[in-house]
Structures are given as C-alpha cells and as structure tokens.
Amino acid sequence: DRIGVIHERYQQYYKGLKIQFGVAITHTANGIVQSTNGELYNANNLDITPTLSKLDGFNTALDLTNATSFLWEDENQARIMEYSKPEGELLIFPNVKTGTVHLAYKYDIYATAPISRNELFIDANTGELLYVNPIIKHANKLVSKRDVKNNAKVLENTLTTMVTGTADTRYSGI
C-alpha cells in the first residue's frame, strides 16, 4: 500500500475444497507480520461426497432464477463478456447465522430476460438454496440529496468515529 505495508490474502481449503469466504489476510511491514485478520471456518468431519449431481444442482439454480433466456445462449455476447454456461463449483459454504458448514455447488447464473446475474449456492446433498449473491445490483428507488443528508445525520448520531478510507470496487476502480 502507500506506506509500504504488504497485504497478502490466503484462501482456506478443507480436503482440497475451497471454503467460501474463508480467507486470512496478513499485513507485513519490513518483512515482519504486523497483524492478521479474516474469517476461518471449521469444516472438520464434513463429508465431502455430494449426493446431488452437479446437473441436478444446476437445474435447481435455473428454476430459482425464473428467467426465460440466459447469456450463454448468445454465443457472441457470451464471448464478449468472457462468460460461459456454469458447470458448478463444488465447495464448502459456511452459514454464519447457524455456525454450520455445508457441502455446496456454486453457480454463476447470468440471465438476460429478465436481466440478473447471481451466484447461487445450492446444498450438494439436499438441493436447498443456501445463499444468493447478486452480482448485478438493482436499485428499486431513486434517492434524493435530502435522503442522503438525512441518512448521513442518522449515521453521525450513531457512529462515534468516522475515518477516510479507500475501496477496490468491481466497476469503478479505487
């Protein structure tokens, strides 16, 4: 970063399977780790043999998407977007609300009618939808300058410290 600290991210795996959101980050200055942070999950004793096929999980994800067309059906547009029909990634998905971990398939479903792009996590044993991560965000209303100011006042009243920071965004750079 700007002051010379090196930030390295490490992905957590269990028996060769990626644990979604399982990441440790080290912060190193002058060759010495100064701090670490992240989220790690206990997957000990998790059976990593799925009972649901990838195709069945995919069909469940499609049904839940409720769309009539998909980007992979338009070969030219799919190539431009560097997108292909999802095959499903077998991984471990932590349910942070319950503290449990699940064997799951992750599908990146890009629908064109109606337009949406979501990562769907389907339990690889039960077929249950575990989580939807929207890649394309949809705004459902316009926000006025007055709304922004009112929301800022609410935040100022609830937060004791505000700091300036930067973020690496998906579409808008840093």
Side-chain angles (χ1 to χ4, degrees):
D1 64 17
R2 292 182 191 145
I3 60 172
V5 177
I6 298 169
H7 310 278
E8 295 179 292
R9 300 173 68 86
Y10 298 90
Q11 177 63 56
Q12 183 184 11
Y13 287 84
Y14 175 72
K15 295 186 178 180
L17 292 180
K18 175 181 162 181
I19 299 179
Q20 188 72 28
F21 311 123
V23 176
I25 306 166
T26 60
H27 310 278
T28 305
N30 301 318
I32 299 170
V33 174
Q34 302 295 314
S35 64
T36 62
N37 67 297
E39 296 179 33
L40 300 175
Y41 300 94
N42 184 356
N44 290 345
N45 305 317
L46 180 68
D47 184 355
I48 62 168
T49 305
T51 57
L52 187 74
S53 72
K54 279 187 179 184
L55 180 59
D56 288 339
F58 177 72
N59 288 331
T60 298
L62 284 184
D63 289 344
L64 292 166
T65 301
N66 197 24
T68 58
S69 64
F70 300 91
L71 184 60
W72 65 79
E73 296 169 333
D74 183 334
E75 194 174 306
N76 290 331
Q77 287 299 314
R79 189 177 332 99
I80 290 168
M81 295 292 295
E82 298 180 5
Y83 176 82
S84 59
K85 185 176 182 178
E87 296 179 12
E89 176 186 3
L90 185 65
L91 49 72
I92 297 168
F93 185 84
N95 182 330
V96 295
K97 291 180 182 177
T98 64
T100 59
V101 293
H102 301 263
L103 188 63
Y105 293 115
K106 174 183 172 182
Y107 300 95
D108 176 357
I109 306 290
Y110 201 140
T112 53
I115 193 145
S116 69
R117 185 173 187 183
N118 294 309
E119 293 174 332
L120 287 91
F121 296 85
I122 306 295
D123 189 293
N125 292 309
T126 67
E128 172 190 3
L129 175 65
L130 298 172
Y131 183 69
V132 177
N133 179 28
I135 303 302
I136 296 176
K137 313 298 189 220
H138 297 278
N140 60 4
K141 71 174 192 172
L142 297 175
V143 178
S144 69
K145 287 183 180 181
R146 182 178 49 201
D147 291 337
V148 170
K149 286 181 182 178
N150 289 339
N151 289 338
K153 286 179 185 175
V154 169
L155 283 175
E156 287 173 12
N157 292 334
T158 60
L159 298 176
T160 56
T161 305
M162 299 288 275
V163 296
T164 300
T166 60
D168 189 6
T169 67
R170 182 177 295 265
Y171 299 109
S172 302
I174 295 176

